[in-house]
Amino acid sequence: MTRSLAACRVGDSGIVQGMTAEGVLKRHFLDLGITKGVRITVTRIAPFGDPIEIRLRGYHLSLRREEAAKIRLGG
C-alpha cells in the first residue's frame, strides 16, 4: 500500500515508491536526493501543517505540503 508523504504524521517513515511530480519539480526532487528506494522519515510538522520537515540520506529538508503530496511512500 502506498500513501503520499503529505499524509504522514511525525515519526512515520517509508520508502519512496515513486512520484507524480513532473518537469522542473521532478528534477528538483531528484537533485535533492528524493529517489526511488530512499527511506524518508517525517521529523516535524509546522503548527498549521505546512511545511513539513523530513529526514533522508542523513540530512533534514522542509517541503511544502502540496509538494509532499506528489511523493508516494510504501513499506
Side-chain angles (χ1 to χ4, degrees):
M1 182 178 97
T2 64
R3 64 187 186 276
S4 77
L5 177 57
C8 295
R9 296 178 176 198
V10 173
D12 287 353
S13 67
I15 297 172
V16 176
Q17 300 297 312
M19 61 183 83
T20 59
E22 296 178 351
V24 175
L25 183 58
K26 183 174 184 175
R27 181 78 240 166
H28 182 63
F29 285 160
L30 295 174
D31 290 344
L32 291 171
I34 302 171
T35 57
K36 192 171 182 177
V38 167
R39 177 166 294 281
I40 291 179
T41 304
V42 177
T43 55
R44 238 187 267 182
I45 299 176
F48 291 107
D50 196 20
I52 65 172
E53 182 182 90
I54 60 173
R55 185 173 192 279
L56 72 149
R57 298 185 185 263
Y59 75 96
H60 292 262
L61 174 68
S62 290
L63 293 174
R64 292 186 178 121
R65 189 166 287 278
E66 72 180 53
E67 294 171 341
K70 297 177 189 279
I71 299 169
R72 306 301 300 169
L73 299 179

